[in-house]
Amino acid sequence: MEKEVLTKIITILKQAEDFYVPIKKLWKESSVNGKFSSYDDFLYFFKKDHRFEVIETSASYDEDNGPDMEEAGFYTGPRVKLKSRKITKEDMQRIALRHAQNVIDNLIKAYEVKPQDLPHEKEDELIELMKKAKHLKENIDTAFKKDTNRKNKS
């Protein structure tokens, strides 16, 4: 791989909010598709290079929704991480809290656009899900704080 392309990919992986980045996303966003004969060759590059860790995922979309999901930033397939980028407890806390907040935000959006004729029971279920998601986020935060306090006392 050309040094310029490799440098760009490594920079993306070093700065990515999540540690494991979908390889399809890198393929599309790093303008490397002209540097490799195919996506499969691009994937093979990561699998054979010792600097990268590749994990497989089982998530998938049906063929009709795939392009729309990728357009929205949701990618299926293998993900890659720089082996040299270590995941810390603070990283795990930040990621877990961000994902919990995303769930809350999406449930709020769903509530805001709910149909006018939504049965009262379904509306109650949605409200209960929002409460549970908020509680989950609070529990995640508490668990990390307890762990930090326990380590500070040691």
Side-chain angles (χ1 to χ4, degrees), residues 37-85:
S37 60
S38 69
Y39 167 78
D40 289 336
D41 288 342
F42 186 62
L43 172 60
Y44 178 72
F45 162 77
F46 289 109
K47 287 183 175 184
K48 72 176 175 96
D49 192 307
H50 69 279
R51 293 172 288 190
F52 303 102
E53 176 184 345
V54 176
I55 60 169
E56 299 291 332
T57 61
S58 59
S60 63
Y61 306 114
D62 64 44
E63 289 184 26
D64 294 336
N65 292 334
D68 292 336
M69 295 301 287
E70 288 183 5
E71 187 68 31
F74 299 102
Y75 294 88
T76 60
R79 280 145 167 65
V80 64
K81 173 190 163 303
L82 279 174
K83 285 183 178 178
S84 63
R85 189 173 178 198

Side-chain angles (χ1 to χ4, degrees), residues 1-13 21-46 52 80:
M1 178 183 303
E2 294 177 16
K3 185 176 181 175
E4 173 187 324
V5 174
L6 181 60
T7 300
K8 183 175 185 173
I9 289 170
I10 289 174
T11 300
I12 291 170
L13 292 174
V21 177
I23 292 176
K24 281 184 189 176
K25 181 178 181 177
L26 282 175
W27 171 252
K28 290 182 176 186
E29 292 182 3
S30 64
S31 304
V32 297
N33 38 9
K35 310 290 186 209
F36 291 85
S37 60
S38 69
Y39 167 78
D40 289 336
D41 288 342
F42 186 62
L43 172 60
Y44 178 72
F45 162 77
F46 289 109
F52 303 102
V80 64

